[in-house]
Amino acid sequence: MAPRTLLQKIWDDHQILEEDGQSLLMVGCHLGHDGSYYGFSVLEERGLKLRRPDQFFATPDHGVPTRSRSLDDVTDAAQRRGVETLERNHARHGFTHFGLGDVRQGIVHVVGPEQGITQPGLLLVCGDSHTSTHGALGALAFGIGASDVAHVLATQTVWRKRPKAMRITVDGTRPAGVTAKDVILAIIARIGANGAAQHVIEYAGSTIRAMSVEERLTVCNMSIEAGGRAGMVAPDDTTIEYLRGRPFAPQGADWDAAVAHWRNLPSDPDAVFDTEVELDATAMEPMVTWGNSPENAVPVSARIPSPQDAASTVQRDTMREALDYMGLAAGQAVRDIAIDQVFIGSCTNARLSDLREAAAIARQGRAMVPAMVSPGSSMVKQQAEAEGLDRIFREAGFEWRESGCSMCVGMNGDLVAAGKRCASTSNRNFRGRQGKDSRTHLMSPAMAAAAALRGRITDVREFAQGAA
Amino acid sequence: MEPFTLLTGIAAPLDRPNVDTDQIAPARFLRRPRKEGYRDILFHDLRFSAPGEEYPDFVLNQPAFRQASILVADRNFGGGSSREQAVWSLVDYGIRCVIAESFGDIFWENSVKGGLLLIRQDEATLAGWRDQLRAAPGSTMSIDLDAQTISQPDGTSVAFEVEIARKRRLLLGLDDIGITLRHQDAILTAETAYRARHPWLFDRAAPG
Ligand code: SF4
């Protein structure tokens, strides 16, 4: 057989048939959240059943409160309805559901890997664009819209055209202070917000291999911010050790069979990729975004670029508009930018290792601006508390909250006010993402903690490095 | 879904790249039932400074472009989130076709389900069209999906590409669930084989 990429192997394993240039693919695992209501309403309208309740796993995240676990703390009735409807659909259709108050609740992209639901070789979908996160374990995982959610609920399949394969190779040892978040921001700055359009990205190279699964999750999470359909890392010993013993991971003889399958998944040595990109990690710095697209990322030591250097009129106008929206001037040092608040959370950067890195900085001072921490899952919250991270954050003046999407998207009411500037560990700096007319600067958890202590964007390398 | 055959309508120029789904349909409006309609939230924060108060400069607020059914955009339109509400808000507003250099991947997949036709065109052509549309506000363009031709603002015609699966679904107003259910037998056979290959993936009951 011709050499195949990881992507091709998973695709072939899930393809049922081809018609009109599209593949009908079996869905190995479907994840849901409080936005899944529309899919179920379609099932009901058409008198269809949930085809595979044992392949659907859901937890509310977008609209849940972070001040408490009481739905009464969500003031928006529509958001509350989303969470309640998921609960009702769980009762009716019998899928696995980690509800509000269950210690396994959390942001769906944190929960899947944490519970061992996400596994190598799976075709995994979810009605959310950051489903790309799960590719860190060697799954082919992509976000789908509401009609496709309904389609998967009804048929456990999805139609897709075969994507192209892109390999992004990152080599070298990361300098101190450069995290997985900085690596992915550097990648997006290089290839652009649609640089991976129509491609599935496979991340390779020594830098990626040396990363923990949690770091790989951060990288794959933002694949969609580079326009990629999905992002993935080939499974290796790190992946297998991560999964061993997790609640939904295979056990006993099943485990051995699964591992044997996973070992065969990595791209064959001679497999051909449609597009290749290479980056040198040794030259990377902590990154910060200045505009309204994740591609607007620059090293923290840089200055805000000038619209005059733009390649086209449209680009110049867009840069001007972004600077205007962000209240910034060309040529301004990134490090001089004063911030109003800090958010540490989201499916990009709210796992235990992220909180440890942020706490290691937070313990070196006191927050000068309001700062909040929302763990990626209730399990992460519990583990962080067992380690005393909550105490470190509280003593440094940070607010310690419950788990959910929170201020990443603001649907639960955790918002950045108009005109306010937020240093955020999330993944999108779009206009209005954290609230109407809010201003977002994306960065790593350690950089966000450093920004909190100084009240301005700060180079984390000015602080002592090391574990909390 | 309403079939898409021939569309003639006012085309509006949208001179900005990276019009993401948060701009097309802001997150705070996403939980309403489909039947309540999403027309009012399209480009909400670009269109309105406050409820009912329009930004006069925004293209769809200008009298000549209010009735637009075609958008001529730039690079990376519809990037970002998986929210199908972005498609619903465009279609509910009356926009049935967006032409851009590239599109967000999930938006691309969602569009056809709402009867929205997306067409890829190179940046120079798009910039030319936008200039023409601005010079003669209210100009119309026509899209013939079956023939795969666009009549440009100057009246001449150019061909465009569309994948066969998308064309068929749009022309006939077909929906995927209906199409897929015709393949029940093939799905069942494939599922049985898949189960045999990956027994550990099935009946994963919640432990504890
Ligand atoms: S944390 Fe943010 S990006 Fe992640 S799923 Fe929630 S809203 Fe989406």
Side-chain angles (χ1 to χ4, degrees):
Chain A
M1 190 181 272
R4 292 183 300 165
T5 60
L6 167 62
L7 162 67
Q8 285 162 341
K9 291 181 189 184
I10 300 179
W11 196 276
D12 294 346
D13 193 30
H14 290 81
Q15 178 167 296
I16 301 165
L17 52 89
E18 276 186 291
E19 186 177 85
D20 287 348
Q22 287 201 313
S23 303
L24 181 63
L25 300 163
M26 174 97 50
V27 170
C29 180
H30 183 193
L31 302 178
H33 52 81
D34 41 334
S36 306
Y37 66 96
Y38 175 78
F40 283 101
S41 74
V42 171
L43 282 192
E44 256 144 59
E45 274 163 31
R46 302 177 64 140
L48 294 164
K49 285 201 322 199
L50 173 59
R51 185 179 166 95
R52 296 229 49 103
D54 65 328
Q55 305 282 78
F56 185 66
F57 305 80
T59 184
D61 51 12
H62 286 70
V64 303
T66 55
R67 287 192 181 282
S68 74
R69 297 282 77 173
S70 165
L71 261 185
D72 296 341
D73 282 330
V74 182
T75 44
D76 186 310
Q79 297 303 334
R80 211 165 43 232
R81 202 164 52 227
V83 179
E84 286 167 347
T85 308
L86 183 65
E87 190 104 20
R88 231 187 357 264
N89 282 319
H90 154 66
R92 189 170 305 166
H93 297 275
F95 50 82
T96 302
H97 175 243
F98 309 133
L100 205 58
D102 188 320
V103 71
R104 298 167 298 180
Q105 177 277 341
I107 305 171
V108 67
H109 309 311
V110 176
V111 169
E114 178 176 86
Q115 290 295 321
I117 294 167
T118 307
Q119 294 173 17
L122 270 181
L123 192 143
L124 183 153
V125 298
C126 172
D128 187 274
S129 57
H130 292 97
T131 306
S132 61
T133 312
H134 306 264
L137 287 145
L140 173 58
F142 52 86
I144 57 177
S147 295
D148 270 336
V149 168
H151 185 269
V152 178
L153 292 174
T155 68
Q156 199 62 26
T157 65
V158 67
W159 289 99
R160 281 294 180 277
K161 196 179 144 186
R162 225 177 241 271
K164 295 183 196 159
M166 170 184 277
R167 178 163 57 192
I168 299 182
T169 306
V170 191
D171 275 317
T173 307
R174 284 180 276 146
V178 175
T179 67
K181 179 66 156 287
D182 304 303
V183 172
I184 186 62
L185 284 173
I187 290 172
I188 300 166
R190 160 83 83 83
I191 70 174
N194 66 337
Q198 299 170 58
H199 287 77
V200 165
I201 303 169
E202 180 176 338
Y203 300 96
S206 62
T207 314
I208 305 293
R209 290 264 77 87
M211 283 183 180
S212 67
V213 166
E214 298 205 346
E215 292 175 313
R216 295 174 186 180
L217 287 161
T218 298
V219 171
C220 288
N221 174 272
M222 292 190 71
S223 304
I224 184 82
E225 268 29 272
R229 174 165 296 182
M232 56 211 312
V233 175
D236 57 9
D237 290 346
T238 305
T239 321
I240 291 166
E241 284 320 306
Y242 174 89
L243 280 167
R244 193 190 293 276
R246 296 208 174 245
F248 288 81
Q251 319 278 338
D254 272 351
W255 170 260
D256 297 335
V259 170
H261 172 57
W262 301 343
R263 291 275 184 209
N264 280 325
L265 289 169
S267 296
D268 297 328
D270 299 328
V272 179
F273 289 80
D274 300 282
T275 312
E276 297 263 12
V277 177
E278 282 164 27
L279 283 92
D280 173 11
T282 64
M284 289 182 187
E285 285 188 56
M287 302 288 283
V288 177
T289 65
W290 55 266
N292 297 125
S293 165
E295 70 185 12
N296 303 140
V298 292
V300 62
S301 61
R303 290 177 179 277
I304 306 284
S306 166
Q308 272 155 14
D309 303 329
S312 71
T313 346
V314 171
Q315 268 176 34
R316 191 179 320 134
D317 292 350
T318 309
M319 276 179 82
R320 277 210 191 99
E321 222 176 80
L323 291 178
D324 190 43
Y325 179 88
M326 293 295 291
L328 298 170
Q332 191 178 350
V334 169
R335 261 185 303 214
D336 285 347
I337 300 170
I339 54 149
D340 300 302
Q341 63 196 90
V342 171
F343 172 62
I344 298 174
S346 90
C347 58
T348 315
N349 275 135
R351 284 169 287 270
L352 190 59
S353 54
D354 298 313
L355 302 189
R356 282 182 187 147
E357 285 169 22
I361 303 299
R363 73 182 320 171
Q364 299 179 49
R366 257 200 89 75
M368 289 177 63
V369 294
M372 71 180 264
V373 185
S374 173
S377 72
S378 299
M379 291 273 289
V380 169
K381 178 166 186 269
Q382 200 179 55
Q383 289 160 351
E385 287 172 356
E387 286 183 16
L389 301 185
D390 59 322
R391 199 173 34 77
I392 295 173
F393 283 121
R394 283 208 184 94
E395 281 170 6
F398 292 59
E399 262 193 272
W400 180 250
R401 296 280 190 97
E402 300 287 342
S403 167
C405 293
S406 184
M407 207 177 272
C408 170
V409 68
M411 289 172 79
N412 71 339
D414 293 344
L415 287 165
V416 176
K420 295 291 184 196
R421 190 180 298 286
C422 182
S424 178
T425 67
S426 53
N427 46 44
R428 286 193 173 137
N429 51 356
F430 297 166
R431 290 169 76 107
R433 171 75 179 182
Q434 296 189 291
K436 191 173 190 300
D437 296 323
S438 60
R439 294 165 169 166
T440 304
H441 294 276
L442 304 177
M443 60 191 76
S444 72
M447 284 282 289
L453 300 195
R454 297 276 167 83
R456 59 177 172 80
I457 294 176
T458 301
D459 190 335
V460 70
R461 293 169 297 186
E462 292 169 20
F463 287 82
Q465 304 287 313
Chain B
M1 182 178 99
E2 209 180 313
F4 187 115
T5 48
L6 197 69
L7 171 70
T8 299
I10 293 172
L14 195 60
D15 286 282
R16 48 173 90 208
N18 298 328
V19 176
D20 55 67
T21 51
D22 281 72
Q23 288 177 71
I24 302 172
R28 60 189 186 279
F29 303 115
L30 297 187
R31 289 289 182 263
R32 59 164 81 147
R34 176 70 189 96
K35 60 178 182 296
E36 283 178 21
Y38 280 78
R39 178 188 165 91
D40 57 316
I41 72 151
L42 175 69
F43 297 130
H44 188 280
D45 296 346
L46 298 172
R47 259 165 86 198
F48 306 107
S49 54
E53 275 176 47
E54 294 184 347
Y55 290 114
D57 289 347
F58 187 67
V59 61
L60 293 181
N61 291 337
Q62 294 165 23
F65 295 114
R66 273 184 187 278
Q67 308 295 327
S69 55
I70 298 166
L71 273 185
V72 179
D74 191 74
R75 178 176 71 92
N76 196 26
F77 185 91
S81 120
S82 63
R83 62 189 69 166
E84 203 156 312
Q85 290 88 340
V87 173
W88 298 343
S89 58
L90 284 160
V91 171
D92 288 359
Y93 185 90
I95 289 168
R96 295 292 306 276
C97 177
V98 182
I99 313 174
E101 188 265 340
S102 55
F103 295 92
D105 182 68
I106 311 176
F107 179 75
W108 174 264
E109 297 293 342
N110 290 342
S111 61
V112 66
K113 279 117 188 165
L116 177 70
L117 173 65
L118 304 184
I119 298 175
R120 292 199 185 103
Q121 214 16 286
D122 64 87
E123 271 179 283
T125 306
L126 290 170
W129 288 352
R130 289 196 307 259
D131 286 345
Q132 291 172 34
L133 294 171
R134 256 190 315 270
S139 304
T140 61
M141 291 174 76
S142 295
I143 320 281
D144 183 336
L145 178 55
D146 193 30
Q148 294 183 216
T149 55
I150 306 175
S151 80
Q152 311 182 70
D154 68 7
T156 59
S157 180
V158 289
F160 70 90
E161 295 204 8
V162 59
E163 292 157 11
I164 179 71
R166 301 170 73 81
K167 181 172 176 176
R168 211 159 64 88
R169 282 163 169 76
L170 284 166
L171 277 177
L172 302 174
L174 297 176
D175 103 293
D176 279 355
I177 295 181
I179 293 175
T180 307
L181 290 178
R182 290 188 294 111
H183 296 298
Q184 287 269 32
D185 293 347
I187 295 173
L188 206 60
T189 308
E191 196 173 76
T192 309
Y194 184 80
R195 265 183 108 104
R197 289 200 300 279
H198 313 291
W200 62 88
L201 288 176
F202 288 81
D203 301 314
R204 298 197 278 169

